[in-house]
Amino acid sequence: MAEHRVVSTRQVFRGRLLDVHVDRVLEPSGREVEREIIRHPGAAVILALTAERNVLFVRQYRHAVAETLIEVPAGTLDPGESPEETARRELVEETGFYPRHLEKLADFYPSPGVLEERMHLYFATDLERRSPLPDEDESLEILEIPLDEALALKVGADVRDAKTILALFFLRMRTS
Amino acid sequence: MAEHRVVSTRQVFRGRLLDVHVDRVLEPSGREVEREIIRHPGAAVILALTAERNVLFVRQYRHAVAETLIEVPAGTLDPGESPEETARRELVEETGFYPRHLEKLADFYPSPGVLEERMHLYFATDLERRSPLPDEDESLEILEIPLDEALALKVGADVRDAKTILALFFLRMRTS
């Protein structure tokens, strides 16, 4: 496809997390369209398996969907940070486990219609137990779920977070 | 978990697609936190298999991620519309195929940290060929990909959209 060109960009909201822009985009056809997008630096997502073959999850209330969800650990890239560095930092912050081994599984976009965020999914093993460093703005419960039970979690019922469903599909492929 | 209560809500941006709010939320612990969220009515996602055992995809440029992506058809719920009605409407609008049979596969949240959107994934079969009704604001290319080729698409390379990766995992389970 030919190139799309940004004609103008206008920041309409800048919050603590969200950075919303309205862009005018010139399509290859010559048509100009308006696009509302949420800028995002990207995130690392960590599927972590302990030496005891437990999978690490966090449970937290998510106000955007008004539900408490079970998710795999994840976090936003800090400025200048590589996705792999984020994966190591976030796993130890959220769960207290430092991954000595990380393997990239996939990259994906959770919501490419509106959200710039790219997620980098890692498989973390050879974990070293340290102490969690909880974000004071987050209330997280850490779950260590045996591999068999993790694989038996029901998609759409027990697990409703897309990145976590994806991680569980990869886990099934890696451990079957 | 005890209840979270919204103390105040403030709309900070209202666009054509995006509706951004900043809420003050009282946690069960008594702590009050601020949350930036994007409100969304939800979406239907359609994994559609034709009589010739082709899977339907759309290819389009996504400005938010500055890439052309292959995705399964999907669309936002109109006011008063059920997810199943949206699935039928969007599939025929985007691809020209009307699904006489729909089966719910799962519900999931693409980005529950910031985005209210809930996605309702359907498996569509017994398709009736009609005419697409393209949205004048969208430039879509319709792809009919044979089932074997669809299952061989590489996650993270050929397919980087999360809902499409999820749909392909379900397709593998349903057809293997």
Side-chain angles (χ1 to χ4, degrees):
Chain A
M1 265 188 206
E3 274 204 9
H4 288 68
R5 195 164 63 78
V6 179
V7 177
S8 69
T9 183
R10 180 165 57 94
Q11 189 178 55
V12 291
F13 176 68
R14 171 75 225 186
R16 197 174 51 88
L17 271 176
L18 292 181
D19 179 7
V20 184
H21 282 240
V22 177
D23 292 354
R24 302 278 313 168
V25 179
L26 183 65
E27 297 190 332
S29 65
R31 186 179 63 157
E32 205 176 292
V33 291
E34 194 171 86
R35 294 285 179 252
E36 300 161 1
I37 64 168
I38 302 144
R39 296 209 176 280
H40 193 286
V45 179
I46 311 106
L47 170 62
L49 191 63
T50 69
E52 298 77 25
R53 292 179 79 72
N54 293 326
V55 184
L56 300 180
F57 295 90
V58 293
R59 183 154 52 188
Q60 63 185 315
Y61 181 76
R62 291 298 207 172
H63 174 61
V65 301
E67 278 188 37
T68 297
L69 297 182
I70 292 174
E71 300 173 44
V72 287
T76 301
L77 272 64
D78 278 344
E81 200 177 42
S82 74
E84 195 170 312
E85 289 166 343
T86 309
R88 290 183 201 280
R89 178 179 56 74
E90 285 286 345
L91 190 66
V92 77
E93 282 180 10
E94 292 195 346
T95 70
F97 284 95
Y98 178 84
R100 279 187 291 237
H101 186 259
L102 278 183
E103 180 192 338
K104 184 76 170 268
L105 293 177
D107 276 11
F108 56 87
Y109 298 114
S111 196
V114 291
L115 179 62
E116 185 181 21
E117 182 175 21
R118 181 177 191 131
M119 289 186 163
H120 305 262
L121 174 64
Y122 292 93
F123 188 44
T125 51
D126 197 2
L127 308 181
E128 181 189 315
R129 196 184 285 265
R130 296 183 183 172
S131 296
L133 304 161
D135 184 330
E136 62 171 25
D137 195 36
E138 285 180 351
S139 305
L140 286 184
E141 182 188 355
I142 304 161
L143 305 178
E144 292 187 43
I145 299 184
L147 180 58
D148 288 355
E149 289 177 33
L151 291 175
L153 288 170
K154 279 189 113 58
V155 163
D158 302 322
V159 184
R160 287 182 298 277
D161 167 53
K163 67 179 178 300
T164 304
I165 300 173
L166 277 181
L168 288 173
F169 280 126
F170 275 99
L171 184 67
R172 187 163 289 122
M173 290 194 290
R174 292 305 297 259
T175 56
S176 64
Chain B
M1 264 189 207
E3 273 203 10
H4 288 69
R5 194 164 63 79
V6 179
V7 177
S8 68
T9 183
R10 181 165 56 95
Q11 189 177 57
V12 291
F13 176 68
R14 170 76 226 186
R16 196 174 51 87
L17 271 176
L18 292 182
D19 179 6
V20 184
H21 282 240
V22 178
D23 293 353
R24 302 279 312 168
V25 179
L26 183 65
E27 297 190 333
S29 65
R31 186 179 64 158
E32 205 176 291
V33 292
E34 194 172 84
R35 293 285 179 253
E36 299 161 1
I37 64 168
I38 303 144
R39 296 209 176 278
H40 194 287
V45 179
I46 311 105
L47 170 62
L49 190 63
T50 69
E52 298 77 27
R53 291 179 78 73
N54 292 327
V55 184
L56 300 180
F57 295 90
V58 293
R59 182 153 55 189
Q60 63 185 314
Y61 181 76
R62 291 299 207 172
H63 174 62
V65 300
E67 279 189 37
T68 297
L69 297 182
I70 292 175
E71 301 172 45
V72 287
T76 301
L77 273 64
D78 278 344
E81 199 175 43
S82 73
E84 195 170 312
E85 288 166 343
T86 309
R88 289 182 202 279
R89 177 179 57 74
E90 285 287 344
L91 189 66
V92 77
E93 280 180 12
E94 292 195 347
T95 71
F97 284 96
Y98 178 84
R100 279 187 290 237
H101 186 259
L102 279 183
E103 180 192 338
K104 185 76 169 268
L105 293 177
D107 277 11
F108 55 88
Y109 298 113
S111 195
V114 291
L115 180 61
E116 184 181 21
E117 183 175 20
R118 182 178 191 129
M119 290 185 162
H120 305 262
L121 174 63
Y122 291 92
F123 188 45
T125 51
D126 196 1
L127 308 181
E128 180 188 316
R129 196 183 285 266
R130 297 183 184 173
S131 296
L133 303 161
D135 184 331
E136 62 171 24
D137 195 37
E138 285 180 352
S139 305
L140 286 185
E141 181 188 356
I142 304 161
L143 305 178
E144 291 186 44
I145 299 184
L147 181 58
D148 288 356
E149 289 177 34
L151 291 175
L153 289 169
K154 278 188 115 56
V155 164
D158 302 321
V159 184
R160 286 181 299 277
D161 167 53
K163 67 179 177 298
T164 304
I165 299 173
L166 278 182
L168 288 173
F169 280 127
F170 275 100
L171 184 66
R172 186 163 292 120
M173 289 194 291
R174 293 306 298 256
T175 57
S176 65

